[in-house]
Amino acid sequence: MRTTLILLALAAVLTGCAEDAADQAAFNVFRSDVTVGVMRLRSQFSEIEPASPERDHACDRLLFELEARCDDDRQKQFLANELAVELARSETFKMYDRHVLSMGQHLLREFPPEDPSFLIVLAKKVENARSPDAPPIYRTTYSSLAVGIILNAVTYPNRVETYNDRINYAQWERLHQWLTAHGKKLIYDPDIRKYRPKDQPPAPKPPREAPEA
């Protein structure tokens, strides 16, 4: 009886190890596919020209295919991390940024990257898009998407209006100053699902009202 129990326990351990190895192998394939997909994104959609609906659709399709490969939270977190790294690769907007920000915003919100530096780089992109020689769409659609991502991700207490893709730059400058002051101290707080300065704890949650008798 004792020998049987030992053999059963050993079989369970071996089965678990085999399942872990299979899971890791599947994740390695997924990781390789995402790496190749992000390289394609970077190589094919960095420059805004030539602008065309077909090229926009191709960029969206590539991003859709990358997310469709995700089978679990671990894979979704990995993809969110990779998209954040790609957003932080340049301090000026790339053509694919608009697509990453619009299609990937829910992924970045639900699976926030541990490193929030992509938010700081997004702010630099918005600032650089104010240059007179920047493409007009960088000052409107791209910038308004970036501002929305930043606002939804941090505990900044004020607002920045982006009505019809037009940014209120007076409000934006205050947010930019806040990010400049606190950006290197941002940490993710799972209780509020936002990044906050680590030296500024969030306001205490209001007490729950006792149910009426």
Side-chain angles (χ1 to χ4, degrees):
M1 182 68 176
R2 181 180 178 186
T3 302
T4 301
L5 291 175
I6 292 174
L7 291 174
L8 288 173
L10 180 59
V13 169
L14 292 175
T15 300
C17 291
E19 290 176 350
D20 289 344
D23 289 344
Q24 185 60 47
F27 182 76
N28 290 342
V29 172
F30 166 81
R31 182 169 54 189
S32 177
D33 289 344
V34 168
T35 300
V36 171
V38 170
M39 288 175 61
R40 288 176 55 201
L41 186 74
R42 190 186 314 139
S43 64
Q44 297 177 25
F45 305 107
S46 291
E47 303 301 328
I48 192 170
E49 299 293 345
S52 71
E54 293 78 15
R55 195 158 176 259
D56 280 346
H57 293 158
C59 187
D60 283 338
R61 185 168 59 249
L62 175 56
L63 286 165
F64 177 81
E65 290 171 354
L66 286 175
E67 186 167 355
R69 294 179 183 275
C70 298
D71 293 326
D72 54 35
D73 288 354
R74 182 188 182 192
Q75 294 180 349
K76 291 178 181 178
Q77 183 67 69
F78 180 81
L79 179 56
N81 293 346
E82 291 298 294
L83 293 180
V85 168
E86 206 56 39
L87 288 172
R89 183 175 289 274
S90 168
E91 294 184 359
T92 57
F93 283 118
K94 298 300 182 184
M95 177 258 185
Y96 57 79
D97 282 354
R98 171 167 61 95
H99 303 263
V100 171
L101 292 171
S102 59
M103 293 187 66
Q105 58 182 307
H106 66 285
L107 198 64
L108 294 169
R109 181 174 62 250
E110 296 300 320
F111 298 91
E114 182 178 352
D115 183 359
S117 61
F118 74 101
L119 298 172
I120 313 306
V121 181
L122 281 180
K124 294 178 180 178
K125 291 177 188 273
V126 174
E127 281 294 289
N128 290 331
R130 300 174 72 177
S131 170
D133 59 350
I137 195 172
Y138 287 180
R139 294 194 295 274
T140 55
T141 303
Y142 282 68
S143 291
S144 63
L145 279 169
V147 170
I149 292 285
I150 295 169
L151 281 175
N152 287 330
V154 299
T155 55
Y156 179 68
N158 300 312
R159 59 183 295 181
V160 179
E161 295 174 348
T162 56
Y163 181 72
N164 281 349
D165 283 355
R166 303 291 177 175
I167 297 173
N168 182 320
Y169 279 110
Q171 295 175 338
W172 159 250
E173 286 171 1
R174 289 192 285 273
L175 170 57
H176 189 223
Q177 291 170 1
W178 185 90
L179 275 173
T180 301
H182 301 294
K184 293 183 178 180
K185 299 179 288 184
L186 291 178
I187 58 172
Y188 185 72
D189 188 330
D191 290 335
I192 56 176
R193 303 183 70 182
K194 288 190 174 186
Y195 297 96
R196 63 170 176 82
K198 60 184 177 182
D199 57 352
Q200 293 185 8
K205 296 180 181 179
R208 295 179 60 183
E209 295 183 3
E212 296 182 3

